[in-house]
Amino acid sequence: MEGVSKIRHNQLLKSGMWGSIKKDWQLYSLILLPVIYLIIFKYGPMFGNIIAFRRFMPGGSIIGEEWVGLQYFKMFLNDPTFYNVFANTFILAFLLLVITFPAPIIFALLLNELKNQLFKRFIQTASYLPHFFSVVVVAGMVFEILSLNGPVNSLLAGWGFEKISFMQLPEWFRTVFVSVDLWQGLGWGAILYLAALTGINDELYEAAKIDGANRWQQTMHITIPGLLPTIVVLLILNIGNFLQIGFEKVLLLYNPLTYETADVISTYVYRVGLESGSFSYGAAIGLFESIIGLILVLGANYLSKRITDNSLW
Amino acid sequence: MESWQYKVFKVFNVTLLLFIVFVTLFPFINIVAQSFSSESYINAGEVSLWPKGFNFDTYEVIMSDTMFWINYKNTVIYTLVGTFISLVLSTMIAYPLSKTRLRGRRFLTLFFVFTMFFNGGLIPNYVLVTSLGFGNSLWAIVIPNAISVFNMLIMRTFFQNIPDELEEAAIMDGCNTFGILFKIILPLSKPIIATMMLFYAVAHWNSWFPAFIFFTDKELFPVSIYLRNMIKGAETALGAGATSADNMVQISANIKSVTMVLTVLPILLVYPYIQKYFVSGVMLGSVKG
């Protein structure tokens, strides 16, 4: 068997690119359709961003009518709403990063301390469930739970507090949004950490015990360093999506009363572009957002490579 | 040999985890309880974990709404067609990319992975789909998001772990690439195909945004848009502060919970079976990157 693959390998080395295409034309023909798909539906819109530099008329040419240069970019730099949504985006993204990113790590560590496997599995199974609910259903639940007659307000009233119309008050939006994100993602987010935990060598713990390390010291010196590569990779991925904070969720949860704190770049793009029909203006803001996202992920990856030796590529 | 501190921690830990599970499940149990309760109890804010004034009336109301059934049937169709297309396209790219001998493999992988970090954005996507004439058709929702690169990478990793010897034996027997794929690889890949099917099916089932921006025809809406309009409609009435409409808002609270229950029902029914697949699928794709 080994002989066969060696011969094939040598043949490949001798023939060039054309030779390997001829040899593996069937594999390449399989790739063809997905690649065409990708060019049209993923790379196409990237180039479609050209309308951010051209005046686009709905129903007109797909690449716009005439060059306007950076006019639309200047427009959003002079747009007060833009600064508001920009700040909202960063505040929400930051809150998610410091609250919903570490939470699954802590959850996984706590689960890891359970010795009863059945109980552990029960908790895990229950904790994944919200991940499978559609955002629409999640939004529906949020409105129900937080409504004036909902359980949360009943509880508040029972304790003698005033009822709060959570979904109508801008000062509550961030708390609600982060809580919902935490609620939906906690269990699911812990999966990868739990997988990484099972990969940590037991002998390390044995050695630490002999050295007299207690459970807490074992966690700090063995478990956490063992999780670090997973944490770093997920952190980079997270930073890449830093600005696209649950666009659909915001769109479903916010309303004009809460725009002040809830409106983020992507929802603003949606309203400007699709609701008001200013396609070019919306595309310009969207492009700006995508480029910042790309810079963030490249930068995080670079830093992590330099500092921790872990990277996505 | 455990320190008393660790024993205290263990008690605290179990209590905390039970509390987390309770909070996780509560919203859902509450919705189910509401869906079987009568409006007056919901109005009074008395329904939390158990239905009060148990009845099926609201279920009957929703079930007799033809638009609900049309939209529900649409979701089933979109999920079936979308899952099939996604699976076929993902296999077509994951299998060749799993072959280390393939020239240009690194470039092709990068070509796909790049789209995970940079995308065209909402507006150019919208312009593209509408100018292709996909608006108000099934294609607008099943095509533009057909391939998930993340899922494709998981699949590729699985294919890579199938021993090359099997394939070489088939080549000796005169099998070509397509023969190998259909007769050897795919039959061996049932676990990953099942996982992908579930990943894609849940994604398509839960999808609402493409339908929301591309569809104007009510008859084409998936059930998620039916629910979305209900939630947003009631919320707008509430936002306007119409006290006289309070009763109406509460009736719709009841109707909303029934619709939510019916919308997640298929996922709940398969959840006990799919949950382990999902978990192993995600781990498979990530641990071996």
Side-chain angles (χ1 to χ4, degrees):
Chain A
M1 286 307 153
E2 211 168 87
V4 175
S5 72
K6 221 168 232 168
I7 292 165
R8 286 172 55 91
H9 189 64
N10 287 339
Q11 279 173 346
L12 276 183
L13 283 182
K14 270 177 217 151
S15 53
M17 185 69 202
W18 187 241
S20 57
I21 289 184
K22 241 166 102 178
K23 183 154 205 60
D24 275 325
W25 67 270
Q26 287 171 321
L27 282 181
Y28 286 103
S29 67
L30 278 175
I31 294 179
L32 202 61
L33 189 62
V35 165
I36 293 172
Y37 167 85
L38 209 66
I39 291 171
I40 298 175
F41 289 99
K42 296 292 165 190
Y43 285 90
M46 288 181 204
F47 294 107
N49 269 312
I50 201 164
I51 64 167
F53 305 94
R54 294 171 66 90
R55 184 166 292 114
F56 174 83
M57 306 288 191
S61 162
I62 185 168
I63 56 158
E65 314 298 330
E66 53 171 322
W67 288 99
V68 294
L70 295 175
Q71 185 197 316
Y72 293 109
F73 293 86
K74 284 181 190 138
M75 220 163 123
F76 74 65
L77 290 176
N78 291 313
D79 176 353
T81 317
F82 173 77
Y83 290 98
N84 184 41
V85 299
F86 195 74
N88 282 341
T89 308
F90 267 84
I91 293 171
L92 267 186
F94 177 77
L95 286 175
L96 293 184
L97 202 63
V98 297
I99 297 171
T100 53
F101 181 75
I105 304 174
I106 298 167
F107 184 61
L109 288 174
L110 294 180
L111 269 176
N112 196 42
E113 295 299 320
L114 293 181
K115 293 292 166 279
N116 185 332
Q117 289 305 310
L118 203 70
F119 183 56
K120 190 174 167 184
R121 207 172 314 142
F122 160 72
I123 293 194
Q124 274 185 273
T125 309
S127 70
Y128 302 145
L129 188 64
H131 174 83
F132 297 102
F133 291 165
S134 147
V135 250
V136 183
V137 172
V138 170
M141 286 182 181
V142 173
F143 281 114
E144 291 301 296
I145 297 282
L146 297 179
S147 75
L148 280 179
N149 301 314
V152 172
N153 269 317
S154 297
L155 207 62
L156 285 178
W159 287 338
F161 291 103
E162 292 257 331
K163 289 190 172 186
I164 302 168
S165 53
F166 292 98
M167 305 313 289
Q168 268 75 49
L169 298 169
E171 62 266 34
W172 276 100
F173 186 83
R174 287 174 187 142
T175 313
V176 171
F177 188 84
V178 173
S179 313
V180 174
D181 213 71
L182 194 62
W183 173 74
Q184 205 179 3
L186 186 71
W188 189 253
I191 291 184
L192 295 179
Y193 298 112
L194 286 166
L197 282 173
T198 56
I200 298 176
N201 194 341
D202 278 338
E203 284 169 23
L204 291 173
Y205 289 108
E206 294 305 325
K209 259 183 237 168
I210 293 166
D211 288 346
N214 63 28
R215 201 76 192 124
W216 174 249
Q217 286 165 328
Q218 290 170 31
T219 305
M220 293 313 284
H221 296 288
I222 301 171
T223 317
I224 304 269
L227 284 183
L228 214 56
T230 312
I231 295 177
V232 168
V233 166
L234 290 180
L235 188 63
I236 299 171
L237 278 173
N238 237 283
I239 288 173
N241 296 321
F242 192 66
L243 299 182
Q244 295 171 356
I245 17 161
F247 164 62
E248 294 188 5
K249 219 183 301 177
V250 178
L251 203 60
L252 289 165
L253 289 176
Y254 82 165
N255 64 53
L257 296 174
T258 51
Y259 279 177
E260 188 188 327
T261 53
D263 205 5
V264 289
I265 299 178
S266 42
T267 50
Y268 188 51
V269 168
Y270 164 75
R271 282 210 317 282
V272 166
L274 298 189
E275 279 191 346
S276 321
S278 313
F279 284 73
S280 290
Y281 188 35
I285 306 175
L287 181 61
F288 177 77
E289 184 192 23
S290 304
I291 289 174
I292 293 188
L294 188 65
I295 293 172
L296 283 174
V297 75
L298 292 176
N301 194 59
Y302 173 78
L303 278 182
S304 144
K305 212 182 218 167
R306 290 289 298 271
I307 300 168
T308 68
D309 236 23
N310 288 304
S311 67
L312 277 179
W313 57 83
Chain B
M1 274 286 286
E2 281 173 358
S3 64
W4 67 268
Q5 288 100 327
Y6 190 56
K7 279 181 190 144
V8 172
F9 163 78
K10 270 165 79 175
V11 174
F12 164 79
N13 189 22
V14 169
T15 320
L16 179 69
L17 289 172
L18 282 174
F19 175 73
I20 290 176
V21 168
F22 174 75
V23 172
T24 304
L25 297 181
F26 179 81
F28 177 69
I29 298 171
N30 179 248
I31 297 303
V32 176
Q34 272 199 19
S35 73
F36 290 109
S37 300
S38 65
E39 299 128 38
S40 51
Y41 287 106
I42 303 175
N43 263 329
E46 284 180 20
V47 179
S48 58
L49 289 170
W50 205 248
K52 285 197 175 176
F54 191 88
N55 68 77
F56 285 103
D57 297 355
T58 322
Y59 279 89
E60 277 167 27
V61 172
I62 292 287
M63 302 267 205
S64 61
D65 181 1
T66 36
M67 195 49 82
F68 174 80
W69 284 117
I70 292 172
N71 291 174
Y72 208 81
K73 192 189 79 201
N74 287 340
T75 298
V76 174
I77 295 170
Y78 300 157
T79 303
L80 291 176
V81 177
T83 307
F84 178 74
I85 292 177
S86 298
L87 258 182
V88 172
L89 281 176
S90 302
T91 312
M92 283 170 84
I93 185 64
Y95 177 65
L97 287 187
S98 72
K99 298 283 143 237
T100 39
R101 67 165 195 274
L102 192 82
R103 286 270 177 126
R105 175 174 177 263
R106 272 180 66 89
F107 170 76
L108 281 166
T109 310
L110 197 70
F111 192 65
F112 275 80
V113 170
F114 182 68
T115 63
M116 285 173 88
F117 302 108
F118 191 74
N119 61 66
L122 177 65
I123 307 296
N125 269 302
Y126 179 84
V127 171
L128 175 73
V129 172
T130 45
S131 43
L132 286 172
F134 281 0
N136 268 328
S137 84
L138 158 83
W139 309 118
I141 55 176
V142 298
I143 296 284
N145 292 308
I147 299 182
S148 147
V149 176
F150 183 74
N151 288 355
M152 185 277 280
L153 292 175
I154 295 178
M155 242 180 151
R156 186 200 60 172
T157 309
F158 186 92
F159 290 147
Q160 259 167 5
N161 291 335
I162 297 177
D164 277 343
E165 284 76 12
L166 281 171
E167 205 168 302
E168 276 156 14
I171 293 173
M172 301 282 269
D173 292 342
C175 225
N176 64 19
T177 303
F178 299 134
I180 294 170
L181 180 59
F182 282 105
K183 287 187 203 137
I184 297 174
I185 304 293
L186 291 184
L188 284 173
S189 306
K190 277 181 197 139
I192 199 68
I193 307 247
T195 311
M196 289 299 120
M197 211 149 89
L198 296 163
F199 271 48
Y200 281 123
V202 170
H204 285 294
W205 184 273
N206 285 341
S207 150
W208 71 283
F209 189 66
F212 177 64
I213 57 176
F214 294 119
F215 288 3
T216 47
D217 185 353
K218 270 187 174 179
E219 305 246 321
L220 291 171
F221 285 169
V223 70
S224 52
I225 301 292
Y226 181 94
L227 178 59
R228 184 257 164 211
N229 291 345
M230 199 174 257
I231 295 164
K232 278 305 212 185
E235 182 243 333
T236 320
L238 205 72
T243 38
S244 60
D246 254 12
N247 197 31
M248 212 199 85
V249 170
Q250 279 317 312
I251 292 171
S252 74
N254 199 328
I255 291 181
K256 272 189 286 178
S257 33
V258 171
T259 314
M260 275 185 257
V261 171
L262 292 175
T263 308
V264 294
L265 195 63
I267 288 183
L268 284 179
L269 290 179
V270 292
Y271 185 67
Y273 308 99
I274 67 177
Q275 166 311 95
K276 65 173 189 288
Y277 278 112
F278 273 109
V279 175
S280 57
V282 165
M283 295 216 268
L284 193 74
S286 55
V287 175
K288 290 173 184 168

